[in-house]
Amino acid sequence: MLTSLFTSTPTPSRRLSTFVTVGLSLCIGWGIRGNFGHEYGAAFAGCLAAITGCLLSGRPDWREKVLYFAFFGAIGWGFGGSISYMQVISSTESGHAPSQFYGYVALFYIGFLWAALGGAGTALAAAADKSTLTRLTKPIWWLFATWYVLDLIEDPVANWLQSGIAFDHTWSRHKSPLYWFDADYLPAFFALLAAGLYDTWEQRFKKSFWLPLCFLGGALVGLVGQWVLQKTGVSPSLAAALTYTLGDPTYIDPETNKAAFDAHNFLNNWPQWFGDYPQHIGWFIGAVLGITFYFYRFGKFRDSASLIVYMAGGWLVSFLIFPVLGSLFFTSIGGLRMTPPRSDDWAGITGVFVGMILWMRRNGYQSVAFASVVCGTIGGLGFSGIQWIKQLLMAFGSPRILPATDTHQLALWADWQQQNWHSFLEQSYGFVNGIAIATLFAILAARLPLSAPSSQKTSAEKWALGGMTLFVLLGITYVNLFKNVSEWGERLNQEVWTQAITLSDGSTETVPALWDVPYLGRLPYIDFLHFTPEGWFRLTWLLLVALFAFLIRRHFKEPLALFPKTWLGKGQLLLLVLLWVMIIGNFERALVGWHPSRLLTEWVITVNAMLVSLLLLTLPREHEPIFDSSETFSHFQHQSFNGLYKKAWIRALSTVAVVSVFFWSTNRFIYAYPPYEKLDKKAYFTRFGPEATWRSKPNLKNAKHK
């Protein structure tokens, strides 16, 4: 029982109202995340929950770190946003028994990874002191800068390599020479690059003369090695042994009774450029290994930059172990892939989790490792469990249960069946994730020692606080709300917006007017004030960043009257601004394509935001009696987490085994699915069987991406 993990100390984090408020905070963020998607949307949700839990904890030392909670909570929750999961949701609904059981287990696993990393980021802010967290922000800024460079150069590099083959980021992204399992391996590589650059800078280029030597030496060894393999005739057999097709060349189309796909049209398990430029594989791999040797030998990775190395290195190692090389032994079932033919980021994120756990345990943060497993278990139960509940609710009036002849009942339940059930899943699962974070606060608040309040801020801390403020208020909002621009343009271009044009014969014709390339003022000789809608958005946000940066700098010199004097007040202001900017931005995104089904999402999110605002302003007290006692510090002594960590893993493994069987068996009992031959295998994702999706719908070189 989770209650056994709590001590008898009655901290405010154990109040029911705290669990409800934190749960609602992440519920709101997750509902909005469903609209904006991916890592950035998840980061917003995690940021909200971390701030809320921090403020409601009542601990004055944690409230001083509210920006750290927001910053690291957002980063932690962002990782899981890269994992593909719609296929496994579909799998639980497929009616194919093995695929359904697999779907529930996979949903638990995805939910576990997502919440485990989100919980780790939040718990690290609680367990580490401010000086450690401040130092850790420095390599993270280098990481963000390196990722920004990647964002700038990825497309130009891909276009340069592609030799005229057109591709886009949606339906033909697999034609990019940098494509590899539709996964985010490049950010992992660049994270290692960022850690290396930071380490070189921090060591003031000490022994850096060895770096080009290791690079060139490794490249030379790789080049010679590839030449030897080619000359000895080993290269073709080695390549064949390490390569498999992402599909089933023997698959027979049941409608035509013929081979469905050309064997030469399949992708394989290596980056696209391996096939386009095979002559460069040897020196490239050698150069990477040479650089790796240099940093292994001379790298110091101070300021906890080694955490980035552990996590990014874990991403790449796990990715190679599972879908790339491990799948060679399981080609008959489509390899060690979770959602083929979609992204295999799950494997990389598994490595991120393992790397994080290893680093935390080796650096004395057993409390973070423990909290991560606890949060992961609750998050995994939430993802698979809410999907199961959704299916139970949809059983009422389901066409899959009622006979087709019962038209009266089918019509009676039609509106119920057409509700936005996916939004129900998103928001309910978000609430459970919030419960996971609230549980984390309830456990750690009474088990981690209190820190004495600090009165003076160092220069490094001021820089960190200023940077994190910009990240939370303008960084998270920008990367999410920027997506509204294209949404507005696409929606408006679909509407009946018309303009009159003059034809060559002098007549006029009314045609649709596109919302594109706006000017500012159209002043004579002022052509430089001519940007795309995205350009105007970026310019406006840069002006906001400049304004905020000036105000923050001014505030550190002489406090501005706008900002509260207490950390509780500052945290409340931070959360309310972030929350309502995103609430309004989310509504603007939905408004241009409004549909009655959006009501379940936008209206519920708005009402929940009102409730959270009320609770956040009225529940926390400036001074909690338990923390104001003269014996406060004697009550909060650090306690060992080693035993709890082992028990947490036992509970996690037991939970996934029990609930997966329960969800699977009860679902099949209620729906009473027909035999495999009569299932609609085209509408649902199936992981196994002769008509498995990886067989019947693979990604092909000359077709749209699935």
Side-chain angles (χ1 to χ4, degrees):
M1 296 293 290
L2 283 175
T3 53
S4 65
L5 301 176
F6 304 148
T7 67
S8 59
T9 309
T11 61
S13 294
R14 294 182 58 187
R15 295 169 181 160
L16 177 62
S17 58
T18 299
F19 277 76
V20 172
T21 310
V22 177
L24 284 176
S25 295
L26 220 154
C27 170
I28 294 167
W30 219 255
I32 292 176
R33 189 217 66 84
N35 292 337
F36 290 93
H38 305 297
E39 296 93 326
Y40 299 147
F44 164 67
C47 184
L48 279 185
I51 297 173
T52 304
C54 169
L55 298 180
L56 293 176
S57 70
R59 288 186 51 146
D61 57 334
W62 283 4
R63 287 176 177 174
E64 286 187 357
K65 297 190 291 184
V66 63
L67 277 166
Y68 294 97
F69 276 98
F71 184 71
F72 289 101
I75 293 174
W77 279 100
F79 284 106
S82 65
I83 304 176
S84 170
Y85 61 83
M86 288 302 295
Q87 280 78 4
V88 288
I89 290 177
S90 176
S91 184
T92 64
E93 302 170 355
S94 66
H96 181 224
S99 295
Q100 281 188 288
F101 183 76
Y102 168 84
Y104 282 117
V105 175
L107 274 181
F108 188 101
Y109 187 65
I110 294 171
F112 178 92
L113 289 177
W114 214 332
L117 288 166
T122 309
L124 181 60
D129 56 68
K130 283 198 294 183
S131 62
T132 300
L133 295 173
T134 298
R135 291 194 301 271
L136 180 54
T137 60
K138 293 193 291 182
I140 291 178
W141 299 131
W142 281 72
L143 172 63
F144 288 168
T146 308
W147 278 345
Y148 179 71
V149 172
L150 170 63
D151 189 56
L152 293 178
I153 68 173
E154 182 176 358
D155 284 351
V157 169
N159 289 327
W160 175 63
L161 291 172
Q162 69 176 338
S163 302
I165 301 174
F167 72 94
D168 58 42
H169 290 285
T170 306
W171 303 116
S172 63
R173 59 188 182 273
H174 55 299
K175 296 183 180 180
S176 167
L178 302 178
Y179 181 91
W180 195 8
F181 278 112
D182 200 23
D184 294 332
Y185 72 97
L186 283 175
F189 268 119
F190 271 70
L192 289 176
L193 174 63
L197 291 173
Y198 179 76
D199 183 71
T200 303
W201 174 266
E202 280 296 304
Q203 294 195 59
R204 298 300 183 261
F205 300 95
K206 183 181 179 181
K207 297 183 180 181
S208 60
F209 65 90
W210 284 104
L211 181 57
L213 294 178
C214 290
F215 173 85
L216 293 174
L220 180 60
V221 171
L223 186 64
V224 172
Q226 185 176 10
W227 179 82
V228 171
L229 291 174
Q230 290 173 341
K231 288 299 180 180
T232 57
V234 176
S235 184
S237 58
L238 180 63
L242 296 179
T243 304
Y244 70 95
T245 56
L246 304 186
D248 184 1
T250 66
Y251 174 72
I252 303 298
D253 188 336
E255 296 182 0
T256 64
N257 203 31
K258 297 180 180 179
F261 310 110
D262 180 0
H264 298 289
N265 204 19
F266 286 109
L267 304 174
N268 63 47
N269 58 317
W270 294 103
Q272 292 297 92
W273 71 266
F274 273 32
D276 297 334
Y277 303 95
Q279 68 274 22
H280 296 294
I281 296 176
W283 75 261
F284 178 81
I285 294 178
V288 170
L289 293 177
I291 295 174
T292 302
F293 172 77
Y294 167 82
F295 283 107
Y296 175 79
R297 178 65 179 82
F298 300 111
K300 301 297 182 183
F301 300 108
R302 301 186 180 99
D303 300 325
S304 301
S306 56
L307 175 58
I308 297 175
V309 177
Y310 272 66
M311 295 174 74
W315 198 107
L316 295 170
V317 170
S318 180
F319 187 67
L320 288 171
I321 289 175
F322 290 106
V324 179
L325 297 176
S327 293
L328 292 167
F329 305 100
F330 300 93
T331 54
S332 62
I333 59 170
L336 296 180
R337 306 187 63 196
M338 183 176 288
T339 59
R342 295 299 297 276
S343 166
D344 276 294
D345 276 322
W346 69 272
I349 298 302
T350 297
V352 170
F353 169 74
V354 172
M356 178 274 299
I357 289 289
L358 289 175
W359 189 91
M360 294 298 172
R361 290 183 61 78
R362 289 179 180 179
N363 287 273
Y365 292 106
Q366 283 79 7
S367 58
V368 177
F370 163 72
S372 176
V373 177
V374 171
C375 284
T377 304
I378 299 174
L381 178 61
F383 209 177
S384 58
I386 296 299
Q387 169 63 11
W388 175 73
I389 292 174
K390 185 194 84 172
Q391 290 176 273
L392 289 185
L393 295 175
M394 292 185 68
F396 296 101
S398 171
R400 305 182 73 173
I401 297 177
L402 293 175
T405 55
D406 195 349
T407 56
H408 174 71
Q409 288 295 323
L410 289 172
L412 186 65
W413 288 96
D415 289 339
W416 174 260
Q417 289 292 316
Q418 293 171 9
Q419 292 299 310
N420 192 347
W421 287 106
H422 185 70
S423 180
F424 167 83
L425 168 66
E426 293 277 4
Q427 295 188 61
S428 300
Y429 169 48
F431 184 83
V432 176
N433 279 337
I435 296 300
I437 293 298
T439 303
L440 175 154
F441 277 103
I443 296 172
L444 298 186
R447 288 183 171 269
L448 292 180
L450 279 168
S451 301
S454 58
S455 56
Q456 295 280 334
K457 292 184 179 66
T458 65
S459 176
E461 185 181 352
K462 290 180 179 179
W463 277 100
L465 292 174
M468 289 186 293
T469 302
L470 292 176
F471 172 84
V472 171
L473 292 181
L474 295 180
I476 291 177
T477 51
Y478 170 79
V479 294
N480 283 289
L481 298 182
F482 180 76
K483 299 177 182 180
N484 284 2
V485 181
S486 60
E487 183 74 13
W488 297 334
E490 291 173 5
R491 293 291 183 178
L492 289 173
N493 286 341
Q494 295 172 5
E495 301 295 332
V496 187
W497 292 64
T498 61
Q499 63 179 351
I501 62 171
T502 302
L503 303 179
S504 57
D505 60 1
S507 61
T508 60
E509 181 179 349
T510 300
V511 298
L514 300 182
W515 187 66
D516 193 20
V517 200
Y519 286 80
L520 179 64
R522 295 184 180 272
L523 298 175
Y525 308 110
I526 311 295
D527 290 337
F528 65 88
L529 290 177
H530 170 204
F531 300 108
T532 62
E534 290 82 2
W536 284 114
F537 192 92
R538 290 192 185 99
L539 176 61
T540 304
W541 222 263
L542 284 173
L543 294 174
L544 275 174
V545 170
L547 170 64
F548 272 62
F550 175 81
L551 292 176
I552 291 170
R553 186 172 183 273
R554 171 68 170 74
H555 177 70
F556 282 134
K557 288 186 175 182
E558 182 179 350
L560 300 175
L562 172 66
F563 300 120
K565 296 184 181 299
T566 67
W567 277 108
L568 173 59
K570 293 174 183 177
Q572 289 172 325
L573 179 63
L574 178 74
L575 185 136
L576 291 177
V577 171
L578 175 65
L579 172 63
W580 284 101
V581 166
M582 287 300 298
I583 290 291
I584 296 170
N586 176 67
F587 179 73
E588 288 179 338
R589 179 181 179 86
L591 188 60
V592 293
W594 187 259
H595 185 272
S597 64
R598 300 303 311 171
L599 192 62
L600 180 61
T601 302
E602 273 62 51
W603 185 81
V604 172
I605 286 174
T606 303
V607 172
N608 282 343
M610 295 178 187
L611 182 56
V612 166
S613 299
L614 173 65
L615 295 174
L616 188 73
L617 291 173
T618 57
L619 288 178
R621 304 173 185 174
E622 187 61 53
H623 299 287
E624 292 286 351
I626 188 174
F627 297 112
D628 287 340
S629 169
S630 59
E631 301 179 354
T632 291
F633 290 92
S634 63
H635 282 294
F636 295 89
Q637 300 297 325
H638 191 281
Q639 302 179 40
S640 174
F641 285 87
N642 289 326
L644 293 176
Y645 175 75
K646 296 177 182 178
K647 292 179 181 178
W649 272 115
I650 295 173
R651 290 190 175 99
L653 296 174
S654 302
T655 301
V656 65
V658 172
V659 301
S660 297
V661 171
F662 176 76
F663 294 158
W664 171 77
S665 58
T666 52
N667 177 274
R668 292 194 60 78
F669 174 78
I670 292 171
Y671 278 87
Y673 297 101
Y676 180 79
E677 295 76 17
K678 296 183 179 181
L679 290 173
D680 185 359
K681 293 175 281 294
K682 292 184 178 180
Y684 297 95
F685 174 87
T686 53
R687 184 62 183 84
F688 307 106
E691 295 293 314
T693 303
W694 68 271
R695 287 192 169 99
S696 61
K697 299 178 181 179
N699 281 318
L700 302 174
K701 294 179 181 178
N702 298 313
K704 286 186 175 182
H705 198 284
K706 303 298 182 180

